Amino acid sequence: MNKAELCNIIRSKYPKAFGIRKRLQQIKVQRLHNHFLTEAEILACEKDPAEKKRIVAARAEEWKSNLRPIVAEMEEILEKSAAYRDRENLDDIRTDILYCRMAFGFLPSEYLGFELENRSKEERLKFESDIDTFEFGYSVNDITKLQSIVDKGESFKQFKQYFGRDAMLIDKRANFEEFRTFVQKHPKFVKKKTNSAQGKNIELIDFPTLGKTDREYFDTLVSSGKFLLEELVVQHAEMAKFNASSVNTIRCMTMNTKNEGVVVPYCFMRTGRNGSFVDNGGSGGILIGVDAKTGVVNTDGYDEYMARFEEHPDTHIHFLGSQIPAWDDMLNFCKEAAAKVEGMGYLSWDMAYTDKGWVVIEVNGIGQLIGPQIVMKRGIKAEVAELLAKMNTVV
């Protein structure tokens, strides 16, 4: 069990008394800003590049442990993105990327995707950052209930009626007979580690080719953690045309308002590359904007290093103007499902379209808002604030 899993379990056990739970949630939101520059430091950085470099270097050393994943992501982007590969001022860019994290809460991927390099402070503040999104999510989602969404196993238990396919959770040795029946029916299946994210630790398993008995493979799984096994999703031809090797999904973001009920302000599509099993941006997938009202694709595509595509680079399907099928059905599906989830005002639904209709691939408790801003090429911080004012808040 890792630290994140332990924290989520502890949160699920928080006292049920609302006042205590509310205070604990306020502390969680406050902690998001533990490694932020002060207003005086931000002002100094904005006025003087030399002072900016000094302050950022000092704080980077002081907060080295906390910033380690940020630095790793930054270095990967600087190495692999065409926007920076041949630049001579990389030290200045490193300083600015870390400054944007320390001052405004942006991830390096957001720095790249939102084209923050040459923007003013005022322009940068129009974008919803990684920390902004978490603050928003913790404001409208009860953290005692987040565990049931974050953990794929618990999420499956809650939303299995929307999966539209066979699936089973492996978390104890008593699951063996169910497992044996499952692999006999589905010799090729999807295996997901229940605490994974961003398309990581997801595998396509062709059981007959493994060279293991039912018992041998099952024992390996049980001793390695908790896993969700799923029947393969066969997507509709209208979605497979973008890329057949991956299940191409729609990210549908639902927000439960006080007077209007559940609304869907943002959607986008993800499609994988030829030969890739998953469509996530972190696995080479492409993000494409979709009009949330009509289901018409309304932007070009972008990969995680901000390469731009007017058409899919492998299938040559043109993105702009494509119509996602049965769009109203998907919107109604997500709205109705979201309305039934108590204590969770903001959810993100990854949806796949099959010959039998729309099915849930997974549900996210605090889905990042990087996708809509990348494809739309504009910040949505003011819009999110307006939505927040219409929602029931926990803090």
Side-chain angles (χ1 to χ4, degrees):
M1 180 182 299
N2 61 30
K3 182 179 179 181
E5 289 178 293
L6 180 60
C7 287
N8 282 326
I9 290 173
I10 292 172
R11 289 172 195 152
S12 71
K13 305 298 183 183
Y14 280 170
K16 301 301 181 185
F18 181 71
I20 298 174
R21 200 166 75 249
K22 182 176 181 179
R23 181 55 189 150
L24 290 170
Q25 192 137 343
Q26 288 171 338
I27 293 171
K28 177 65 179 177
V29 171
Q30 291 166 2
R31 288 184 63 191
L32 292 171
H33 297 272
N34 277 357
H35 298 94
F36 264 45
L37 300 178
T38 66
E39 288 298 324
E41 288 174 322
I42 293 172
L43 182 61
C45 289
E46 291 289 331
K47 285 184 174 180
D48 184 352
E51 188 67 359
K52 176 179 175 180
K53 182 169 289 190
R54 185 193 68 78
I55 290 172
V56 168
R59 290 299 196 181
E61 181 62 30
E62 180 183 353
W63 299 334
K64 181 183 293 186
S65 177
N66 179 267
L67 290 173
R68 190 169 289 119
I70 303 298
V71 171
E73 181 184 320
M74 175 179 69
E75 293 301 333
E76 182 179 6
I77 284 173
L78 292 177
E79 177 186 352
K80 296 183 178 180
S81 173
Y84 301 118
R85 194 176 299 129
D86 299 321
R87 296 284 292 275
E88 295 181 356
N89 62 332
L90 287 183
D91 284 344
D92 291 337
I93 293 172
R94 286 185 176 92
T95 294
D96 199 37
I97 291 174
L98 291 178
Y99 169 68
C100 281
R101 178 62 180 185
M102 297 173 185
F104 314 118
F106 290 109
L107 292 171
S109 52
E110 293 172 328
Y111 184 91
L112 172 63
F114 303 162
E115 300 174 339
L116 296 181
E117 182 183 349
N118 295 312
R119 295 187 187 272
S120 67
K121 175 186 174 184
E122 291 71 27
E123 290 172 325
R124 288 169 169 178
L125 286 173
K126 292 179 181 179
F127 288 85
E128 184 84 355
S129 73
D130 171 63
I131 296 298
D132 292 332
T133 302
F134 274 108
E135 185 168 353
F136 169 70
Y138 287 135
S139 296
V140 298
N141 290 340
D142 188 335
I143 56 175
T144 66
K145 298 180 180 179
L146 267 177
Q147 171 63 15
S148 65
I149 307 293
V150 173
D151 185 288
K152 285 182 168 58
E154 296 301 314
S155 183
F156 164 66
K157 293 176 185 178
Q158 187 170 358
F159 300 109
K160 61 182 177 182
Q161 69 268 35
Y162 304 118
F163 269 53
R165 60 195 180 279
D166 290 342
M168 69 163 295
L169 179 64
I170 291 185
D171 59 354
K172 55 188 176 182
R173 296 195 177 276
N175 295 138
F176 176 66
E177 289 302 326
E178 183 183 359
F179 167 77
R180 185 160 60 178
T181 300
F182 180 87
V183 295
Q184 288 172 350
K185 186 177 181 181
H186 306 291
K188 185 177 285 190
F189 57 88
V190 177
K191 182 187 78 171
K192 299 178 180 179
K193 199 155 190 177
T194 58
N195 64 342
S196 62
Q198 299 178 331
K200 299 174 183 177
N201 294 307
I202 298 178
E203 297 179 62
L204 176 62
I205 304 297
D206 188 354
F207 187 72
T209 68
L210 296 180
K212 294 185 178 182
T213 66
D214 297 352
R215 173 58 72 178
E216 287 171 341
Y217 187 70
F218 176 80
D219 287 345
T220 299
L221 288 180
V222 171
S223 63
S224 302
K226 292 172 61 178
F227 294 89
L228 186 64
L229 309 185
E230 301 178 8
E231 175 187 359
L232 284 176
V233 172
V234 179
Q235 65 187 334
H236 192 282
E238 281 298 301
M239 294 301 288
K241 70 182 181 182
F242 292 102
N243 183 60
S245 67
S246 62
V247 176
N248 307 306
T249 60
I250 298 296
R251 169 63 65 90
C252 177
M253 299 176 170
T254 59
M255 299 184 186
N256 201 341
T257 65
K258 289 178 281 191
N259 297 322
E260 301 172 39
V262 178
V263 298
V264 177
Y266 309 110
C267 291
F268 59 90
M269 179 171 71
R270 297 184 301 200
T271 179
R273 297 295 302 271
N274 184 34
S276 174
F277 172 60
V278 295
D279 63 357
N280 302 74
S283 301
I286 299 170
L287 308 181
I288 313 101
V290 180
D291 187 303
K293 292 184 174 64
T294 66
V296 175
V297 175
N298 59 2
T299 76
D300 293 328
Y302 300 88
D303 68 13
E304 71 170 325
Y305 299 112
M306 292 306 105
R308 177 173 166 268
F309 304 93
E310 292 184 2
E311 61 180 32
H312 194 287
D314 304 312
T315 62
H316 303 293
I317 295 294
H318 196 79
F319 291 131
L320 198 62
S322 296
Q323 174 69 58
I324 305 300
W327 186 254
D328 287 342
D329 291 345
M330 191 217 65
L331 290 180
N332 292 333
F333 184 117
C334 293
K335 287 179 181 180
E336 290 174 13
K340 297 176 183 178
V341 184
E342 294 184 6
M344 298 293 292
Y346 171 44
L347 293 167
S348 294
W349 305 77
D350 290 340
M351 304 293 296
Y353 187 57
T354 73
D355 289 342
K356 297 178 181 179
W358 289 96
V359 299
V360 169
I361 297 299
E362 66 180 45
V363 185
N364 301 274
I366 304 180
Q368 290 294 5
L369 290 165
I370 180 175
Q373 296 178 101
I374 282 178
V375 297
M376 294 189 298
K377 294 299 177 186
R378 63 177 177 83
I380 60 172
K381 190 169 185 176
E383 296 170 24
V384 173
E386 290 177 6
L387 285 162
L388 179 61
K390 298 177 181 180
M391 301 170 73
N392 289 311
T393 56
V394 183
V395 297

